[in-house]
């Protein structure tokens, strides 16, 4: 049973370009979470999605950032017009549901390390 | 407030016990978690404890919860060099659905 998959693992973008990060949750999981980890920092929540719904986007910057989890396919975190301050590791996590999320925790992918030149 | 607090560094000798401490903020937190992160990797869920428990033991890991002081600790018995990693404490608050709140992580270094 594959775990949470993220790609690409490393992404380099120049300022002003777009970054698109993908996350495939564990099989059977319908809840996806995105977190950002700045160097030597803990993880900061960005957004929580279910299939075709954004449940909580309170941690996501209002400009340039968007996320989706379509009915088919992976969840996508999109960053438009990237700036150097967007350089970070972006982690996706999944859980079977919000109730079981509480019991079993969230399962994390390996992360995408974004570098903005 | 937002912050889950952890000390940043801990060094121990191989074979000794390690104790990593954490203070959290929300008395309504239902579950508390310990995650391990090795260099360049994602987070691995080590263990969790429900807020109505005081202690949980899982092989070499012991979690202690003092709900009155909002203090959580992770004890690793017989620490090995392979335990060297960053350990994150995280809370699931009753007031917000789904999201986890993380500390900054404790870098554990195990010396042979």
């Amino acid at each position: 049973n594959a775990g949470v998959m993220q790609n690409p693992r490393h992404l380099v973008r120049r300022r002003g370009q777009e970054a698109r990060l993908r996350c495939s949750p564990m099989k059977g999981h319908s809840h996806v979470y995105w977190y950002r980890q700045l160097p030597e920092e803990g993880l900061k929540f960005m957004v929580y999605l279910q299939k075709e719904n954004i449940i909580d986007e309170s941690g996501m910057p209002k400009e340039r950032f968007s996320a989706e989890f379509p009915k088919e396919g992976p969840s996508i975190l999109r960053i438009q017009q990237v700036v150097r301050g967007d350089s970070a590791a972006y982690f996706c996590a999944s859980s079977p549901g919000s109730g079981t999320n509480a019991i079993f925790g969230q399962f994390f992918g390996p992360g995408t390390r974004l570098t903005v030149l | 407030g937002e912050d889950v607090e952890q000390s940043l560094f801990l060094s121990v000798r191989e074979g000794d016990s390690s104790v990593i401490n954490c203070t959290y903020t929300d008395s309504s937190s239902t579950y508390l978690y310990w995650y391990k992160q090795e260099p360049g990797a994602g987070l691995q869920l080590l263990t969790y404890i429900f807020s109505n428990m005081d202690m949980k033991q899982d092989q070499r890991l012991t979690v202690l919860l003092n709900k009155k002081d909002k203090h959580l600790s992770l004890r690793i018995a017989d620490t090995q060099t392979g335990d060297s990693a960053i350990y994150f404490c995280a809370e699931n608050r009753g007031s917000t659905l789904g999201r986890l709140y993380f500390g900054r992580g404790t870098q554990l270094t195990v010396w042979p």
Side-chain angles (χ1 to χ4, degrees):
Chain A
N1 184 16
V4 178
M5 310 287 284
Q6 288 188 251
N7 67 81
R9 294 291 306 276
H10 299 273
L11 182 61
V12 178
R13 285 287 178 265
R14 296 192 180 279
R15 281 180 296 168
Q17 291 184 319
E18 178 180 284
R20 192 172 294 202
L21 288 62
R22 294 176 186 77
C23 169
S24 297
M26 284 181 71
K27 188 176 180 181
H29 287 194
S30 58
H31 294 236
V32 165
Y33 313 82
W34 286 93
Y35 294 84
R36 176 164 65 177
Q37 184 180 32
L38 294 169
E40 298 181 6
E41 295 275 336
L43 275 72
K44 300 293 186 187
F45 168 81
M46 298 182 75
V47 62
Y48 164 28
L49 309 108
Q50 295 178 27
K51 287 279 187 184
E52 299 184 283
N53 280 309
I54 296 175
I55 305 302
D56 179 0
E57 57 182 347
S58 60
M60 199 155 67
K62 298 229 180 319
E63 295 182 357
R64 303 189 298 108
F65 285 73
S66 62
E68 62 176 5
F69 188 17
K71 189 176 178 182
E72 300 290 337
S75 175
I76 307 284
L77 178 68
R78 185 181 290 110
I79 312 172
Q80 296 177 302
Q81 299 176 335
V82 297
V83 301
R84 288 218 174 101
D86 296 331
S87 295
Y90 292 82
F91 289 97
C92 169
S94 72
S95 70
S98 59
T100 50
N101 157 59
I103 296 170
F104 298 115
Q106 297 171 11
F107 295 85
F108 282 78
T112 294
R113 280 150 182 84
L114 173 65
T115 301
V116 180
L117 302 177
Chain B
E2 287 274 328
D3 293 328
V4 176
E5 299 286 343
Q6 296 180 242
S7 53
L8 296 182
F9 302 99
L10 177 65
S11 294
V12 300
R13 288 210 175 273
E14 193 172 24
D16 288 350
S17 291
S18 309
V19 179
I20 303 170
N21 295 301
C22 167
T23 54
Y24 60 99
T25 58
D26 196 318
S27 57
S28 70
S29 289
T30 52
Y31 285 87
L32 296 130
Y33 307 89
W34 285 103
Y35 283 87
K36 176 183 180 183
Q37 185 181 34
E38 296 183 78
L43 275 70
Q44 173 194 353
L45 178 63
L46 285 179
T47 188
Y48 61 90
I49 188 167
F50 186 45
S51 58
N52 70 351
M53 298 169 65
D54 298 324
M55 185 181 87
K56 181 179 179 183
Q57 187 150 3
D58 184 0
Q59 299 182 329
R60 292 192 297 124
L61 305 178
T62 303
V63 179
L64 295 178
L65 176 59
N66 181 328
K67 197 171 179 183
K68 175 176 168 290
D69 295 336
K70 300 190 186 70
H71 183 264
L72 183 72
S73 68
L74 173 70
R75 178 176 181 270
I76 306 173
D78 187 25
T79 314
Q80 303 296 307
T81 53
D83 295 324
S84 293
I86 300 175
Y87 290 80
F88 291 96
C89 164
E91 60 173 331
N92 178 301
R93 296 179 183 169
S95 56
T96 50
L97 189 66
R99 64 186 291 181
L100 296 181
Y101 294 82
F102 284 85
R104 290 181 63 183
T106 299
Q107 171 74 61
L108 173 65
T109 302
V110 183
W111 301 99

